[in-house]
Amino acid sequence: DSGVTQTPKHLITATGQRVTLRCSPRSGDLSVYWYQQSLDQGLQFLIQYYNGEERAKGNILERFSAQQFPDLHSELNLSSLELGDSALYFCASSPQGGGSYEQYFGPGTRLTVT
Amino acid sequence: AQTVTQSQPEMSVQEAETVTLSCTYDTSENNYYLFWYKQPPSRQMILVIRQEAYKQQNATENRFSVNFQKAAKSFSLKISDSQLGDTAMYFCAFMKHQTGANNLFFGTGTRLTVIP
């Protein structure tokens, strides 16, 4: 158990819908990262938040957005869903600073768009 | 841009034997970190080992060790005394050393099967 929690574990929804994925980082970790794992694109970085502020953006679609709240949990919002958005979405957290750069991953949310 | 290449899509090894997974990367950075992550059938991503580019000594974690060749931009993972629980996808990952933005760039993975 990495200490990172993600809900829900599974999500099945229809095209055109909107969903929210939730992540709670390890206690004390200030950075949250979102990654997408799909069969055709592999593991891709989407976005990073650090202590409530956006720090880096990867291959995140405009239909996707994220935020990090004062209690450090994060949400990834996916809208106007398409079949190709079906994937495993991981959240990871890291403490940032102190020479520690390891990222610890949550169990993931499996999204199926039908 | 950083790229990470794992040229072995699948590998197998007999239980108790040793296996080496290959990884090469391309970067213009001088300071960075390299990681190996394991993804078993449960799909959980588990950190196996990490290497700082400024360290010449290869990292070791129990049965797992790396061969880091900075000039060749190569970062292979050696698993000794392979166990059935080592069956998983293994991903090599790169991270720039910088304050703030520290996302991982992943390779495409190597599927390792340990044969009893």
Side-chain angles (χ1 to χ4, degrees):
Chain A
D1 185 354
S2 67
V4 179
T5 60
Q6 289 187 248
T7 57
K9 290 186 78 170
H10 302 278
L11 201 48
I12 301 174
T13 190
T15 55
Q17 295 298 305
R18 172 189 168 94
V19 297
T20 297
L21 312 183
R22 182 187 168 104
C23 167
S24 292
R26 295 187 320 159
S27 177
D29 284 359
L30 298 179
S31 263
V32 169
Y33 306 78
W34 287 97
Y35 293 89
Q36 178 195 59
Q37 185 177 30
S38 61
L39 281 174
D40 54 345
Q41 298 287 334
L43 264 163
Q44 286 198 103
F45 166 69
L46 295 178
I47 196 164
Q48 176 201 355
Y49 277 82
Y50 173 75
N51 204 20
E53 294 188 3
E54 183 185 302
R55 272 298 172 93
K57 250 181 175 178
N59 298 322
I60 188 166
L61 300 172
E62 284 192 14
R63 301 183 284 109
F64 296 1
S65 64
Q67 53 185 327
Q68 186 180 28
F69 295 86
D71 67 352
L72 301 178
H73 91 271
S74 177
E75 292 180 357
L76 179 67
N77 300 296
L78 315 176
S79 61
S80 302
L81 286 167
E82 302 174 359
L83 296 177
D85 297 327
S86 294
L88 188 55
Y89 291 85
F90 284 107
C91 166
S93 74
S94 71
Q96 292 289 133
S100 178
Y101 287 90
E102 291 94 345
Q103 292 183 21
Y104 296 90
F105 283 72
T109 293
R110 178 168 293 285
L111 173 66
T112 302
V113 182
T114 61
Chain B
Q2 279 63 231
T3 58
V4 179
T5 302
Q6 294 179 252
S7 58
Q8 304 152 315
E10 293 189 23
M11 293 191 73
S12 61
V13 61
Q14 291 290 137
E15 196 175 4
E17 296 296 307
T18 295
V19 64
T20 299
L21 309 184
S22 301
C23 172
T24 58
Y25 57 93
D26 187 22
T27 184
S28 58
E29 303 287 329
N30 190 47
N31 293 323
Y32 49 87
Y33 298 89
L34 296 163
F35 303 86
W36 279 97
Y37 278 87
K38 168 185 176 180
Q39 187 177 40
S42 67
R43 304 292 254 168
Q44 174 78 50
M45 292 290 287
I46 302 166
L47 178 63
V48 175
I49 199 166
R50 88 169 198 177
Q51 175 79 42
E52 292 89 340
Y54 63 85
K55 288 188 177 178
Q56 291 189 342
Q57 187 172 8
N58 289 323
T60 299
E61 287 287 341
N62 301 313
R63 298 182 295 108
F64 299 88
S65 61
V66 298
N67 183 4
F68 172 50
Q69 302 287 330
K70 191 173 183 180
K73 296 181 182 174
S74 169
F75 182 60
S76 60
L77 175 69
K78 185 171 84 170
I79 306 175
S80 304
D81 185 26
S82 296
Q83 301 175 359
L84 296 179
D86 295 334
T87 292
M89 280 289 285
Y90 286 82
F91 292 95
C92 178
F94 171 99
M95 177 195 290
K96 286 193 286 188
H97 175 84
Q98 60 183 7
T99 303
N102 297 103
N103 56 283
L104 292 163
F105 296 88
F106 286 94
T108 51
T110 295
R111 184 177 302 280
L112 176 68
T113 301
V114 180
I115 302 166

